[in-house]
Amino acid sequence: MKALSLKVATWNLQKCVGMDLRRDPGRSLRVLSDIGADLVVLQEVDKRLPPRPAALPRDMIRAEGWQLLPFSPVSPGGPSVGWHGNTMLMRPGLTLRETDQITLPGLEPRGAIRAELTTPIGPLRVIGVHLGLRRRDRLAQLHAISAHLADLPAAPTLLAGDINEWGAIEVLDHALDGLSFLPAPATFPALRPLGRLDRFALCPRLRAPHPPSAHLAQPAPIASDHLPLTVSLIAP
């Protein structure tokens, strides 16, 4: 009998502006469809300036069969679809139980998001992040996430997002209690990847039989300055 699995992707959309400098949310959604993930953790889904309107419009998200998880601090019909640019999309077959926002320290305004889900591999806690540009901020932000998780009941936990770390990931590993970063391929810049900026981290209650992989099929390499990163999870 084949083990149940869950395919997860993380992708920095760069506000749906591609390497050709065109803003094309339809192209971004085509990439997401091609990936075939059950759950997608996204960064830079909103434009930068207040009121931070969505770069990836709600109606287009719904038309493609995705459920947009409710992280926006404004009303459900407001301009933003995320929290500090972070959001999650999921396919049918997953059930949302709870969402939360995590304010993060640092020089730049940053925040993380948390979702509690019921999935084919069981309950799953997902943390979505886009960490700061300075290492001291990244360390402080991971410590803040660890403190947030310490106040919650234990659950199988996945962290996913743009970590912004150019150096060895071991530098950050010790700041994330109970989770370990997986090895990852380079995903940035998309046309000639050099930096392993996009990452997954797992707790021991989850397992990835294969290392994460970058989605290389067109139009992904021109749809953003990051390539999408995917991983398939199974319960241990």
Side-chain angles (χ1 to χ4, degrees), residues 2 10 20 23 30 36 38 50-51 96 107 111 122 152 170 194 199 205 212:
K2 186 178 179 181
T10 182
D20 55 2
R23 188 185 302 276
R30 287 196 299 275
D38 304 293
L96 174 65
L107 183 64
L152 300 174
E170 290 78 11
L194 298 171
R199 292 278 184 167
R205 296 174 65 179

Side-chain angles (χ1 to χ4, degrees), residues 39 67 69-71 88 90 94-102 113-119 122-128 148-158 205:
L39 175 71
Q67 180 179 341
L69 274 60
F71 293 108
M88 299 182 200
M90 68 181 188
L94 281 66
T95 302
L96 174 65
R97 293 185 284 114
E98 179 181 308
T99 61
D100 198 6
Q101 304 157 354
I102 309 169
I113 53 176
R114 174 174 64 86
E116 305 287 336
L117 306 172
T118 301
T119 78
L124 180 65
R125 174 175 294 149
V126 185
I127 307 294
H148 176 86
L149 294 176
D151 289 335
L152 300 174
T157 301
L158 163 73
R205 296 174 65 179

Side-chain angles (χ1 to χ4, degrees), residues 42-188:
L42 298 174
Q43 303 85 50
E44 296 197 25
V45 296
D46 296 324
K47 299 176 185 178
R48 183 172 296 275
L49 298 177
R52 296 185 67 94
L56 194 64
R58 293 171 190 273
D59 56 348
M60 295 181 69
I61 292 171
R62 296 191 185 106
E64 292 296 320
W66 293 101
Q67 180 179 341
L68 173 66
L69 274 60
F71 293 108
S72 175
V74 298
S75 63
S80 173
V81 296
W83 166 248
H84 286 278
N86 303 299
T87 201
M88 299 182 200
L89 311 180
M90 68 181 188
R91 290 296 194 188
L94 281 66
T95 302
L96 174 65
R97 293 185 284 114
E98 179 181 308
T99 61
D100 198 6
Q101 304 157 354
I102 309 169
T103 300
L104 298 180
L107 183 64
E108 317 153 74
R110 297 278 176 172
I113 53 176
R114 174 174 64 86
E116 305 287 336
L117 306 172
T118 301
T119 78
I121 64 170
L124 180 65
R125 174 175 294 149
V126 185
I127 307 294
V129 300
H130 187 185
L131 299 186
L133 298 176
R134 303 190 311 170
R135 180 174 288 169
R136 71 177 70 176
D137 289 342
R138 294 193 289 274
L139 289 168
Q141 288 158 6
L142 290 175
H143 281 300
I145 290 169
S146 294
H148 176 86
L149 294 176
D151 289 335
L152 300 174
T157 301
L158 163 73
L159 180 140
D162 181 352
I163 303 301
N164 259 326
E165 177 58 58
W166 284 88
I169 197 62
E170 290 78 11
V171 174
L172 300 184
D173 239 336
H174 72 277
L176 196 56
D177 293 340
L179 284 80
S180 298
F181 284 103
L182 297 176
T187 51
F188 178 87

Side-chain angles (χ1 to χ4, degrees), residues 21-50:
L21 303 182
R22 290 196 302 118
R23 188 185 302 276
D24 189 343
R27 177 172 60 187
S28 301
L29 285 164
R30 287 196 299 275
V31 173
L32 294 177
S33 178
D34 289 346
I35 290 170
D38 304 293
L39 175 71
V40 182
V41 182
L42 298 174
Q43 303 85 50
E44 296 197 25
V45 296
D46 296 324
K47 299 176 185 178
R48 183 172 296 275
L49 298 177

